[in-house]
Amino acid sequence: MEKYKKVIAFFKELGFAFDVSRFDDRLIAQKLVCLLEFRGIDLGYSCSLYVRGPYSPDLTLDLYSFTREFETLETGSRLNAKEKEAAVELGRIFGLKPVPLEVGATYGYFAIRQDCDPLEALRQVKRLKPFYSEAQIALGISKAKEFLYTPTREDLEDLKEETGIWQRASIKSLEH
């Protein structure tokens, strides 16, 4: 089966009504596919860094070669359970918002593909995206981390300890 059909199945699951004539839709398509690739879902599209973040020339070729199929979400491909879960999470975390997707995919490129530590990945995102605010960058990176990384048991315990004081204070404030 052609790889583009699996991408269409993801778009369908996400409710992404792709329109090749819209720049934002092409950007969203690129970032969705690259984030899925960085998550370990092999769609067969390699992503390299370009001006607007990770980008796959092969995906662009398919978006134009199979425009009708992409725009009508016509595919015989189905997502397996792991892929469906990734699509649901991707949609829940990012929605179909271009800025968080662009920032998040760029962070993922540096953190996953280039194996940069989190601070270096952040520096690279800021260097490449000076036109985005600190808040937009923080939001996109936060969403990327949520989508790309599964917390360990130790991470969850640390988080519980860190936020426990706030939770207890919140409960006490409700009691008064």
Short mmCIF file of all heavy atoms in Angstrom, two decimals, residues 38 49 104-128 141 144-145 148-149:
data_model
loop_
_atom_site.label_atom_id
_atom_site.label_comp_id
_atom_site.label_asym_id
_atom_site.label_seq_id
_atom_site.Cartn_x
_atom_site.Cartn_y
_atom_site.Cartn_z
N PHE A 38 8.53 11.44 14.55
CA PHE A 38 9.38 11.60 15.73
C PHE A 38 8.86 10.75 16.90
O PHE A 38 9.63 10.33 17.75
CB PHE A 38 9.45 13.06 16.18
CG PHE A 38 10.05 14.01 15.15
CD1 PHE A 38 9.76 15.36 15.20
CD2 PHE A 38 10.88 13.55 14.14
CE1 PHE A 38 10.29 16.25 14.26
CE2 PHE A 38 11.42 14.42 13.20
CZ PHE A 38 11.13 15.76 13.27
N LEU A 49 15.22 19.71 8.28
CA LEU A 49 14.92 21.05 8.77
C LEU A 49 14.94 22.07 7.65
O LEU A 49 15.90 22.14 6.87
CB LEU A 49 15.92 21.44 9.85
CG LEU A 49 15.53 22.64 10.69
CD1 LEU A 49 14.24 22.38 11.47
CD2 LEU A 49 16.65 22.99 11.66
N GLY A 104 6.39 22.97 18.06
CA GLY A 104 6.54 21.63 18.64
C GLY A 104 7.32 20.68 17.74
O GLY A 104 8.17 19.93 18.21
N ALA A 105 7.04 20.72 16.45
CA ALA A 105 7.77 19.85 15.51
C ALA A 105 9.23 20.26 15.41
O ALA A 105 10.11 19.41 15.30
CB ALA A 105 7.10 19.88 14.14
N THR A 106 9.50 21.57 15.47
CA THR A 106 10.88 22.04 15.42
C THR A 106 11.63 21.59 16.66
O THR A 106 12.77 21.10 16.57
CB THR A 106 10.93 23.58 15.27
OG1 THR A 106 10.19 23.95 14.10
CG2 THR A 106 12.35 24.08 15.14
N TYR A 107 11.00 21.70 17.81
CA TYR A 107 11.60 21.21 19.06
C TYR A 107 11.86 19.70 18.94
O TYR A 107 12.94 19.22 19.27
CB TYR A 107 10.71 21.50 20.26
CG TYR A 107 11.30 20.99 21.54
CD1 TYR A 107 12.23 21.75 22.24
CD2 TYR A 107 10.95 19.74 22.05
CE1 TYR A 107 12.80 21.26 23.41
CE2 TYR A 107 11.52 19.26 23.21
CZ TYR A 107 12.44 20.02 23.89
OH TYR A 107 13.01 19.53 25.04
N GLY A 108 10.86 18.97 18.46
CA GLY A 108 11.01 17.52 18.30
C GLY A 108 12.16 17.17 17.37
O GLY A 108 12.90 16.21 17.61
N TYR A 109 12.34 17.95 16.32
CA TYR A 109 13.44 17.71 15.39
C TYR A 109 14.78 17.77 16.13
O TYR A 109 15.62 16.88 15.99
CB TYR A 109 13.42 18.72 14.24
CG TYR A 109 14.61 18.57 13.32
CD1 TYR A 109 14.61 17.61 12.32
CD2 TYR A 109 15.74 19.35 13.49
CE1 TYR A 109 15.71 17.45 11.49
CE2 TYR A 109 16.85 19.20 12.67
CZ TYR A 109 16.83 18.24 11.68
OH TYR A 109 17.93 18.07 10.88
N PHE A 110 14.95 18.82 16.92
CA PHE A 110 16.23 18.96 17.63
C PHE A 110 16.37 17.95 18.76
O PHE A 110 17.43 17.35 18.94
CB PHE A 110 16.40 20.40 18.15
CG PHE A 110 16.74 21.36 17.06
CD1 PHE A 110 15.82 22.30 16.63
CD2 PHE A 110 17.97 21.31 16.42
CE1 PHE A 110 16.12 23.18 15.60
CE2 PHE A 110 18.28 22.18 15.38
CZ PHE A 110 17.36 23.12 14.97
N ALA A 111 15.31 17.75 19.53
CA ALA A 111 15.38 16.85 20.68
C ALA A 111 15.49 15.38 20.27
O ALA A 111 16.27 14.62 20.86
CB ALA A 111 14.16 17.06 21.58
N ILE A 112 14.75 14.98 19.25
CA ILE A 112 14.71 13.57 18.85
C ILE A 112 15.71 13.27 17.72
O ILE A 112 16.56 12.41 17.86
CB ILE A 112 13.29 13.16 18.38
CG1 ILE A 112 12.23 13.51 19.43
CG2 ILE A 112 13.23 11.70 17.95
CD1 ILE A 112 12.09 12.58 20.58
N ARG A 113 15.58 13.98 16.61
CA ARG A 113 16.43 13.68 15.44
C ARG A 113 17.89 14.08 15.65
O ARG A 113 18.79 13.38 15.23
CB ARG A 113 15.90 14.39 14.19
CG ARG A 113 14.70 13.74 13.58
CD ARG A 113 15.08 12.41 12.92
NE ARG A 113 14.00 11.92 12.10
CZ ARG A 113 13.13 11.01 12.48
NH1 ARG A 113 13.20 10.47 13.66
NH2 ARG A 113 12.18 10.61 11.66
N GLN A 114 18.10 15.24 16.29
CA GLN A 114 19.47 15.71 16.50
C GLN A 114 20.01 15.33 17.88
O GLN A 114 21.15 15.63 18.19
CB GLN A 114 19.53 17.24 16.32
CG GLN A 114 19.14 17.71 14.93
CD GLN A 114 20.10 17.19 13.88
OE1 GLN A 114 21.30 17.34 13.99
NE2 GLN A 114 19.56 16.55 12.86
N ASP A 115 19.18 14.69 18.70
CA ASP A 115 19.57 14.22 20.03
C ASP A 115 20.15 15.33 20.90
O ASP A 115 21.13 15.13 21.63
CB ASP A 115 20.55 13.05 19.91
CG ASP A 115 20.62 12.22 21.18
OD1 ASP A 115 19.62 12.19 21.93
OD2 ASP A 115 21.69 11.63 21.44
N CYS A 116 19.57 16.52 20.80
CA CYS A 116 20.00 17.65 21.64
C CYS A 116 19.37 17.52 23.02
O CYS A 116 18.26 17.01 23.16
CB CYS A 116 19.53 18.97 21.04
SG CYS A 116 20.32 19.43 19.50
N ASP A 117 20.07 18.02 24.04
CA ASP A 117 19.45 18.07 25.36
C ASP A 117 18.34 19.14 25.31
O ASP A 117 18.33 19.99 24.40
CB ASP A 117 20.48 18.35 26.46
CG ASP A 117 21.09 19.74 26.35
OD1 ASP A 117 20.37 20.73 26.60
OD2 ASP A 117 22.29 19.83 26.04
N PRO A 118 17.41 19.12 26.25
CA PRO A 118 16.26 20.03 26.19
C PRO A 118 16.63 21.51 26.09
O PRO A 118 15.97 22.25 25.35
CB PRO A 118 15.50 19.74 27.49
CG PRO A 118 15.87 18.33 27.83
CD PRO A 118 17.29 18.16 27.36
N LEU A 119 17.65 21.95 26.81
CA LEU A 119 18.03 23.36 26.74
C LEU A 119 18.58 23.75 25.38
O LEU A 119 18.27 24.82 24.86
CB LEU A 119 19.06 23.69 27.83
CG LEU A 119 18.47 24.02 29.19
CD1 LEU A 119 19.56 24.18 30.23
CD2 LEU A 119 17.61 25.27 29.12
N GLU A 120 19.38 22.87 24.80
CA GLU A 120 19.93 23.15 23.47
C GLU A 120 18.81 23.15 22.43
O GLU A 120 18.79 23.99 21.53
CB GLU A 120 21.02 22.15 23.10
CG GLU A 120 21.65 22.39 21.74
CD GLU A 120 22.26 23.78 21.56
OE1 GLU A 120 22.67 24.42 22.56
OE2 GLU A 120 22.33 24.25 20.42
N ALA A 121 17.88 22.22 22.55
CA ALA A 121 16.74 22.19 21.63
C ALA A 121 15.94 23.48 21.74
O ALA A 121 15.55 24.06 20.72
CB ALA A 121 15.87 20.97 21.91
N LEU A 122 15.72 23.95 22.96
CA LEU A 122 15.02 25.22 23.18
C LEU A 122 15.79 26.38 22.53
O LEU A 122 15.19 27.21 21.84
CB LEU A 122 14.85 25.48 24.68
CG LEU A 122 14.40 26.88 25.09
CD1 LEU A 122 13.01 27.20 24.56
CD2 LEU A 122 14.44 27.04 26.59
N ARG A 123 17.09 26.43 22.73
CA ARG A 123 17.91 27.49 22.13
C ARG A 123 17.79 27.49 20.61
O ARG A 123 17.66 28.53 19.97
CB ARG A 123 19.38 27.33 22.53
CG ARG A 123 19.72 27.96 23.86
CD ARG A 123 21.22 28.07 24.07
NE ARG A 123 21.86 26.81 24.38
CZ ARG A 123 21.92 26.28 25.59
NH1 ARG A 123 21.40 26.90 26.63
NH2 ARG A 123 22.53 25.13 25.78
N GLN A 124 17.81 26.30 20.02
CA GLN A 124 17.71 26.19 18.56
C GLN A 124 16.34 26.66 18.06
O GLN A 124 16.25 27.33 17.03
CB GLN A 124 17.99 24.76 18.11
CG GLN A 124 19.41 24.31 18.32
CD GLN A 124 20.40 25.13 17.53
OE1 GLN A 124 20.12 25.63 16.46
NE2 GLN A 124 21.59 25.30 18.10
N VAL A 125 15.29 26.30 18.80
CA VAL A 125 13.95 26.75 18.41
C VAL A 125 13.88 28.28 18.45
O VAL A 125 13.40 28.92 17.52
CB VAL A 125 12.85 26.12 19.30
CG1 VAL A 125 11.49 26.77 19.06
CG2 VAL A 125 12.77 24.62 19.08
N LYS A 126 14.39 28.87 19.53
CA LYS A 126 14.36 30.33 19.67
C LYS A 126 15.19 31.00 18.57
O LYS A 126 14.80 32.05 18.05
CB LYS A 126 14.89 30.75 21.04
CG LYS A 126 13.91 30.50 22.15
CD LYS A 126 14.48 31.00 23.46
CE LYS A 126 13.44 31.02 24.54
NZ LYS A 126 13.96 31.63 25.78
N ARG A 127 16.30 30.38 18.21
CA ARG A 127 17.15 30.94 17.16
C ARG A 127 16.43 30.93 15.82
O ARG A 127 16.47 31.89 15.07
CB ARG A 127 18.46 30.12 17.07
CG ARG A 127 19.44 30.64 16.03
CD ARG A 127 20.70 29.77 15.97
NE ARG A 127 20.45 28.41 15.56
CZ ARG A 127 20.24 28.02 14.30
NH1 ARG A 127 20.23 28.89 13.32
NH2 ARG A 127 20.01 26.74 14.02
N LEU A 128 15.74 29.84 15.53
CA LEU A 128 15.04 29.71 14.24
C LEU A 128 13.68 30.39 14.19
O LEU A 128 13.16 30.66 13.12
CB LEU A 128 14.83 28.23 13.92
CG LEU A 128 16.07 27.45 13.52
CD1 LEU A 128 15.74 25.97 13.37
CD2 LEU A 128 16.63 27.99 12.22
N ILE A 141 6.56 23.90 22.82
CA ILE A 141 7.51 22.94 23.39
C ILE A 141 6.83 22.07 24.44
O ILE A 141 7.04 20.85 24.48
CB ILE A 141 8.75 23.67 23.95
CG1 ILE A 141 9.59 24.21 22.79
CG2 ILE A 141 9.57 22.74 24.85
CD1 ILE A 141 10.76 25.08 23.19
N ALA A 144 4.88 19.53 22.61
CA ALA A 144 5.78 18.53 22.00
C ALA A 144 6.23 17.52 23.04
O ALA A 144 6.22 16.31 22.79
CB ALA A 144 6.98 19.22 21.36
N LYS A 145 6.62 18.00 24.20
CA LYS A 145 7.08 17.10 25.27
C LYS A 145 5.95 16.16 25.69
O LYS A 145 6.17 14.97 25.90
CB LYS A 145 7.59 17.90 26.46
CG LYS A 145 8.93 18.55 26.21
CD LYS A 145 9.38 19.33 27.42
CE LYS A 145 10.76 19.93 27.22
NZ LYS A 145 11.22 20.68 28.41
N LEU A 148 5.56 13.64 22.69
CA LEU A 148 6.70 12.82 22.29
C LEU A 148 7.29 11.96 23.40
O LEU A 148 7.98 10.99 23.12
CB LEU A 148 7.81 13.71 21.70
CG LEU A 148 7.44 14.44 20.40
CD1 LEU A 148 8.51 15.44 20.03
CD2 LEU A 148 7.21 13.44 19.27
N TYR A 149 7.05 12.34 24.65
CA TYR A 149 7.68 11.62 25.75
C TYR A 149 6.65 11.01 26.68
O TYR A 149 5.69 11.67 27.06
CB TYR A 149 8.59 12.55 26.55
CG TYR A 149 9.70 13.15 25.74
CD1 TYR A 149 9.64 14.47 25.30
CD2 TYR A 149 10.81 12.39 25.38
CE1 TYR A 149 10.66 15.02 24.53
CE2 TYR A 149 11.82 12.93 24.61
CZ TYR A 149 11.74 14.24 24.20
OH TYR A 149 12.74 14.77 23.43
#
